[in-house]
Amino acid sequence: MSSSASLSEIETLEAFTEELVARLSRVVPEGEVRLKAPLAWEILRLKKTVNAVILGHNYMEPVLYHSVPDYTGDSLQLSAVAAETDADVIVFCGVWFMGETAKILSPDKIVLVPSTKAGCSLAEGVTADDVLRLKEQFPGAPVVSYVNTYASVKAVSDYCCTSGNADKVVRYLLNAGHDRIIFVPDRYLAENTARQLGLRFWMAGGEEEAPASGGGPMVIGWRARCEVHELFTPEDVENVRRQYPDAIILAHPECSPEVIERADVAGSTKLMVDYVRQNPAKRFALFTECAMGDNLAAEFPDRELVRSCSLRCKHMNTITVEDTLRSLQTLTPRVELDPDIISRARKPIDRMLAIR
Ligand code: SF4
């Protein structure tokens, strides 16, 4: 996880603007940076007044990502680090389910998500009722819910997981003697995890009937998909391989199994960021939301990041510097959750964190 503390320590708007222009010169037109720099400057001033900590998900647009967050990273990491601070207010520059996770881990803080339109096709792809029906259909099978779910779904789940530890959580449940594991909501993450561990996979809610017991452990998936990652095709990977034979291809496990099996490395946004930071190779191709490639390209001017600039998440795109400023000025929109949901949704997160 990285922090942009050095930018917030700059003493004048002019120096701040010049530093931001220099940092983003490879990825954002200078005029856009100059337009937004005073807003970012005002955010940095205001956050001290209201004692806020600002979190920036890896998919935030480059000017926002590189200017105002105290911490950048993936959603669970960010929520956990914010809970450790003495801030009164958390501003989560990310989508709504991320704000809910931050609220679950910091129930006494005010949590703001700058846009109420920042949804997610995965989080919206499964409801608590869907999960309860699956539990009824497969009695005794534990439910693992990806962190990309709303609090109401976490509240009826047994374990949470991230894209970085899904295999670890499923392996733990296998070792605990379970031979059927319900995994919601991302069909591809579930299927990729099953493949990785050599398990059978069956998708609930589809045409095929549920296989009978026996025949080996099985992951029971759900039909939701990330509307960004599902667009990558095996042909896209092969085209990049042909055009850039020296590029290391990294793909997010929300991509289809056919994309994952053609990539060099599969992993979470955290794994991708760490990989690029630590690997001396000169060229990488990222099969994930395109803003992350821009953010890494700005951070590593000596590397080339091949990315599909058209694949921008429309939900992440609703979070802007302008909205973030307005959110701090008005202390809205706030994430509000029922205390009972908070306490029930916290349990699967704690169980996941307890797995070693
Ligand atoms: S990139 Fe996919 S998983 Fe992430 S917020 Fe957008 S729709 Fe949801």
Side-chain angles (χ1 to χ4, degrees):
M1 169 146 349
S2 57
S3 154
S4 63
S6 59
L7 258 182
S8 63
E9 282 157 17
I10 295 177
E11 285 181 1
T12 66
L13 170 59
E14 290 68 28
F16 174 81
T17 305
E18 294 315 317
E19 176 62 28
L20 203 53
V21 167
R23 281 192 191 191
L24 298 176
S25 61
R26 292 177 75 216
V27 293
V28 186
E30 183 176 333
E32 183 183 334
V33 182
R34 290 194 182 280
L35 201 67
K36 291 184 178 174
L39 305 177
W41 179 257
E42 179 60 13
I43 290 170
L44 293 175
R45 191 195 62 77
L46 206 52
K47 85 169 181 190
K48 290 186 191 140
T49 317
V50 300
N51 190 26
V53 60
I54 301 183
L55 310 176
H57 186 264
N58 289 323
Y59 294 163
M60 287 297 100
E61 57 94 1
V63 178
L64 175 54
Y65 180 91
H66 284 277
S67 62
V68 295
D70 296 290
Y71 300 98
T72 54
D74 71 22
S75 65
L76 189 69
Q77 269 182 304
L78 291 173
S79 296
V81 82
E84 297 293 313
T85 69
D86 61 5
D88 297 314
V89 178
I90 297 172
V91 184
F92 208 131
C93 295
V95 295
W96 201 261
F97 77 78
M98 298 178 180
E100 288 198 350
T101 306
K103 185 70 182 175
I104 293 165
L105 297 189
S106 301
D108 297 329
K109 297 187 196 297
I110 292 172
V111 178
L112 308 172
V113 173
S115 166
T116 52
K117 293 190 194 121
C120 168
S121 66
L122 284 178
E124 279 146 32
V126 68
T127 65
D129 283 346
D130 293 328
V131 173
L132 293 175
R133 272 194 294 274
L134 286 169
K135 281 183 155 186
E136 222 172 89
Q137 194 179 351
F138 300 99
V143 175
V144 178
S145 65
Y146 187 25
V147 72
N148 296 31
T149 45
Y150 289 120
S152 55
V153 167
K154 291 185 177 77
V156 291
S157 301
D158 300 300
Y159 288 81
C160 265
C161 75
T162 65
S163 53
N165 68 14
D167 58 327
K168 192 161 108 180
V169 173
V170 170
R171 198 179 290 115
Y172 170 83
L173 292 169
L174 291 172
N175 290 338
H178 294 283
D179 73 341
R180 289 178 176 223
I181 295 156
I182 299 167
F183 191 121
V184 297
D186 185 2
R187 182 220 159 114
Y188 286 151
L189 181 60
E191 194 171 348
N192 286 322
T193 306
R195 284 188 179 209
Q196 187 184 350
L197 299 177
L199 308 176
R200 293 187 300 153
F201 174 76
W202 177 75
M203 196 180 79
E207 307 261 291
E208 276 178 52
E209 271 194 32
S213 286
M218 183 170 70
V219 172
I220 297 159
W222 188 244
R223 58 177 171 257
R225 289 185 298 209
C226 164
E227 65 192 85
V228 176
H229 291 94
E230 71 171 344
L231 297 178
F232 291 112
T233 66
E235 293 72 39
D236 294 334
V237 182
E238 280 156 13
N239 285 339
V240 168
R241 185 81 72 200
R242 238 186 336 268
Q243 286 179 57
Y244 306 98
D246 61 330
I248 297 177
I249 298 179
L250 300 108
H252 194 282
E254 289 167 15
C255 296
S256 73
E258 294 72 29
V259 167
I260 294 297
E261 71 194 16
R262 285 167 176 80
D264 297 310
V265 181
S268 62
T269 58
K270 177 180 179 333
L271 180 141
M272 290 190 202
V273 171
D274 290 346
Y275 194 94
V276 174
R277 280 188 183 138
Q278 289 157 16
N279 194 297
K282 285 288 172 217
R283 189 178 270 161
F284 301 86
L286 299 185
F287 282 75
T288 189
E289 210 274 355
C290 65
M292 200 174 103
D294 288 339
N295 291 329
L296 284 174
E299 187 176 339
F300 298 103
D302 59 332
R303 317 277 176 86
E304 186 182 344
L305 276 295
V306 180
R307 57 229 190 246
S308 297
C309 295
S310 55
L311 291 184
R312 176 81 176 120
C313 172
K314 69 179 184 204
H315 307 288
M316 293 286 183
N317 205 34
T318 62
I319 307 292
T320 62
V321 177
E322 290 83 347
D323 288 333
T324 305
L325 177 56
R326 200 171 310 117
S327 189
L328 264 175
Q329 286 166 333
T330 60
L331 295 183
T332 63
R334 293 186 190 195
V335 176
E336 306 281 9
L337 291 173
D338 185 287
D340 176 54
I341 291 278
I342 289 181
S343 110
R344 288 194 289 133
R346 171 96 200 207
K347 287 183 187 144
I349 297 175
D350 286 343
R351 286 194 198 111
M352 168 189 72
L353 295 174
I355 296 174
R356 296 282 161 223

